[in-house]
């Protein structure tokens, strides 16, 4: 979807000055946008950011889970270490919420609640960027924050504002460009070693690719001024990876070899590692 012109001024930590007030780096902005793998390159940066804003892992509401990066998890087990909330794939995003809470002089405790000023600003920004009116229903995400419901068209429209921010108000335009620069400069921090998001971004011409829970994927393609969003009905991650890779190839946003091709036409293996099938995407709109 292409962007809509002349949207109203948004809320957000970059727009409101929280990022500058607390010296948030490009790496940290990428982590705020991440579903990271819990590798040391992620957790050490998040911990340092928290220390700078006067917070710690104890303030994180997201809860611990096993690092997505298998090697990191195995090494921690061997050393007898337990994973913490820093290893949660959303710990960077939550640290962003805490930074915004500090800037608003709001309590850090409860930042994950829907009526907290930080989450109200998230809701307002989603409405503005997606051109959504009225009340937004929400569920509670696995990482505990409100997950506001957006139609896929609205999500794609919001992503298109990042692809071509020329119609946005000046402060929002700069914020969108800054987030894009951070994510494209640090694809390893947006996801992690061997992850589809990271690999696709590394092979692309300045696009952003980002997974979400339950088979959601978005892409931001500045060269085409497009935003894309997809959702797999049964929430399968392997299906969403295949679909987003095939879509990017069809749009000419990535090469038709390398990481994209490996995802778009991926072998299905049995437990002995023998190919027993192949997954691929079919897009009627592209005549395939």
């Amino acid at each position: 979807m292409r962007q809509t012109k002349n949207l109203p001024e948004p809320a957000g930590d970059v727009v409101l000055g929280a990022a500058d007030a607390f010296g948030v780096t490009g790496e940290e902005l990428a982590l705020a946008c991440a579903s990271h793998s819990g590798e040391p390159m992620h957790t050490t940066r998040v911990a340092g950011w928290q220390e700078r804003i006067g917070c710690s892992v104890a303030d994180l509401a997201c809860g611990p889970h096993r690092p997505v990066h298998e090697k990191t998890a195995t090494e921690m087990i061997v050393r007898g270490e337990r994973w913490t909330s820093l290893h949660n794939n959303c710990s960077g995003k939550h640290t962003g919420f805490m930074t915004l809470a500090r800037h608003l002089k709001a309590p850090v405790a409860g930042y994950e609640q829907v009526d907290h000023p930080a989450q109200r600003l998230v809701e307002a920004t989603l409405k503005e960027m997606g051109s959504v009116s009225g009340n937004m229903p929400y569920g509670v995400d696995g990482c505990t924050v409100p997950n506001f419901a957006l139609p896929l068209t609205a999500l794609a429209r919001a992503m298109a504002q990042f692809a071509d921010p020329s119609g946005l108000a000046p402060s929002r335009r700069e914020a969108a460009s800054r987030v894009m620069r951070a994510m494209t400069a640090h694809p390893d921090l947006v996801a992690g070693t061997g992850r589809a998001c990271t690999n696709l971004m590394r092979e692309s011409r300045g696009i952003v690719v980002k997974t979400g829970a339950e088979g959601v994927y978005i892409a931001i393609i500045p060269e085409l001024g497009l935003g894309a969003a997809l959702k797999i009905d049964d929430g399968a991650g392997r299906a969403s990876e295949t679909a987003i890779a095939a879509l990017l190839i069809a749009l000419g946003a990535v090469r038709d070899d390398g990481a994209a091709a490996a995802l778009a036409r991926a072998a299905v293996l049995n437990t002995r590692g023998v190919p027993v099938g192949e997954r691929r995407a079919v897009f009627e709109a592209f005549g395939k």
Side-chain angles (χ1 to χ4, degrees):
M1 181 166 287
R2 297 188 186 277
Q3 63 118 348
T4 302
K5 301 292 184 178
N6 300 321
L7 292 179
E9 191 70 16
D13 61 343
V14 176
V15 173
L16 294 179
D20 289 333
F22 289 92
V24 176
T25 67
E27 291 181 346
E28 290 163 350
L29 276 181
L31 285 164
C33 302
S35 295
H36 67 69
S37 296
E39 299 170 65
M41 64 177 170
H42 305 118
T43 56
T44 56
R45 286 174 169 85
V46 172
W49 180 7
Q50 290 174 357
E51 182 178 2
R52 198 171 63 254
I53 64 172
C55 294
S56 72
V57 63
D59 296 302
L60 286 172
C62 53
H65 66 59
R66 180 189 179 97
V68 175
H69 187 238
E70 191 61 32
K71 183 174 183 289
T72 296
T74 300
E75 289 175 348
M76 290 182 68
I77 292 170
V78 169
R79 293 193 299 265
E81 297 174 2
R82 297 179 64 87
W83 31 85
T84 72
S85 295
L86 284 174
H87 297 91
N88 189 298
N89 71 107
C90 293
S91 65
K93 176 177 71 176
H94 281 244
T95 304
F97 291 144
M98 293 193 293
T99 303
L100 179 56
R102 288 287 198 219
H103 188 64
L104 297 172
K105 302 190 185 310
V108 168
Y111 71 81
E112 79 283 5
Q113 298 298 318
V114 70
D115 58 352
H116 190 279
Q119 300 305 329
R120 287 302 183 196
L121 289 172
V122 170
E123 181 183 11
T125 302
L126 285 171
K127 284 183 177 181
E128 293 165 3
M129 293 290 280
S131 298
V132 176
S133 59
N135 293 328
M136 292 181 69
Y138 73 95
V140 178
D141 196 285
C143 72
T144 74
V145 295
N147 197 335
F148 297 100
L150 279 176
L152 277 178
T153 51
L155 181 56
R157 185 179 301 115
M159 296 305 103
Q161 314 308 321
F162 288 92
D164 178 7
S166 60
L168 303 179
S171 60
R172 175 183 276 183
R173 186 186 314 134
E174 171 54 29
S177 297
R178 187 170 170 184
V179 168
M180 284 291 293
R181 290 194 301 270
M183 295 181 77
T184 55
H186 306 289
D188 288 334
L189 300 182
V190 173
T193 304
R195 294 274 299 280
C197 301
T198 294
N199 291 343
L200 288 170
M201 289 172 67
R202 282 192 173 280
E203 286 194 356
S204 73
R205 297 184 295 273
I207 69 170
V208 161
V209 185
K210 173 68 174 61
T211 187
E214 298 299 323
V216 171
Y217 246 100
I218 62 92
I220 303 169
I221 313 170
E223 186 174 292
L224 301 177
L226 293 177
L230 63 84
K231 167 75 171 76
I232 303 301
D233 284 348
D234 68 357
R238 67 179 184 177
S240 63
E241 289 179 356
T242 297
I244 197 68
L247 175 61
L248 291 171
I249 290 171
L251 290 171
V254 296
R255 303 195 314 265
D256 61 358
D257 57 10
L263 290 167
R265 297 179 68 93
V268 177
L269 309 178
N270 66 14
T271 54
R272 294 184 61 188
V274 177
V276 294
E278 183 181 76
R279 67 180 197 252
R280 67 181 71 170
V282 177
F283 291 107
E284 293 180 1
F286 293 94
K288 298 183 179 180

